[in-house]
Amino acid sequence: FSIVASKESTLDERKLAQKISRGETDFTGVLDSELDIGDEIALQPGPRTLDYKGEYLPVTDMVYFASGDGIVPVIDQVKSVLPPGSSSVKGVSVIWTNDDEKDFDIALSTLEDEYFKYSTKLAVSCVVDEGKRSLEDNNEVDEAVPPFTPGTMAVVSGPRATEARGVLLRKGYPDNCICILPNED
């Protein structure tokens, strides 16, 4: 999933491809320093599928563990599994960590909308973690992650995906039940 933001009014495809290849897609940095209310951004979604290697089928529960702007591809995934009849998933948990409470502003209203539509199927936990300690040492994170049960698939996303994976492993999630969404930073 690539995020490109530009102040330029038009951006041809060649320039856009160059920006992506150079890694000039720092969405959080752009939000903090360059975007004003009313500015437009272009989103280029990546593949919409996950490579699940777990042995527990069908997948009945999803746990999404996102840090920072890793919530953007997670929201797309959540929207695809929540509607009735769209998948075998019966329950979805989203754990979203950020260094600062204001960082939740980028997607909190979208998550709230999904929660109000599917409150019996969706649980959302937003955890402020200043990044000064490991996610594994954060009690709020530990409480937010549900215990593993067969049929659960976990997805980690964002700049602290490796740490999030470690939390899940410590909570008993088998490694082959954890998918990592690539971080395009």
Side-chain angles (χ1 to χ4, degrees), residues 68-91:
D69 58 3
I71 194 65
V72 175
V74 165
I75 287 175
D76 186 50
Q77 294 283 324
V78 167
K79 285 181 173 185
S80 70
V81 299
L82 281 174
S86 65
S87 71
S88 60
V89 175
K90 306 284 185 249

Side-chain angles (χ1 to χ4, degrees), residues 140-161:
E140 291 177 50
V141 168
D142 191 56
E143 291 173 14
V145 176
F148 176 78
T149 56
T152 300
M153 175 180 173
V155 178
V156 295
S157 176
R160 297 180 79 180

Side-chain angles (χ1 to χ4, degrees), residues 19-93:
K19 284 181 175 276
I20 291 170
S21 70
R22 289 192 305 258
E24 296 175 359
T25 59
D26 179 18
F27 187 62
T28 305
V30 170
L31 279 177
D32 287 343
S33 62
E34 296 180 29
L35 284 180
D36 293 323
I37 294 174
D39 286 352
E40 294 183 18
I41 61 172
L43 297 177
Q44 178 183 355
R48 294 180 57 124
T49 60
L50 296 169
D51 187 19
Y52 178 70
K53 294 181 170 52
E55 60 198 71
Y56 305 105
L57 293 173
V59 172
T60 56
D61 293 285
M62 296 290 302
V63 174
Y64 293 96
F65 197 143
S67 60
D69 58 3
I71 194 65
V72 175
V74 165
I75 287 175
D76 186 50
Q77 294 283 324
V78 167
K79 285 181 173 185
S80 70
V81 299
L82 281 174
S86 65
S87 71
S88 60
V89 175
K90 306 284 185 249
V92 175
S93 296

Side-chain angles (χ1 to χ4, degrees), residues 166-184:
V167 170
L168 293 167
L169 290 170
R170 188 176 50 81
K171 294 279 283 193
Y173 285 71
D175 198 29
N176 63 356
C177 294
I178 302 171
C179 297
I180 300 176
L181 288 173
N183 190 20
E184 303 270 340

Side-chain angles (χ1 to χ4, degrees), residues 129-142:
D129 185 86
E130 291 83 19
K132 296 176 185 160
R133 58 184 171 168
S134 167
L135 291 176
E136 292 187 43
D137 296 331
N138 187 318
N139 291 336
E140 291 177 50
V141 168
D142 191 56

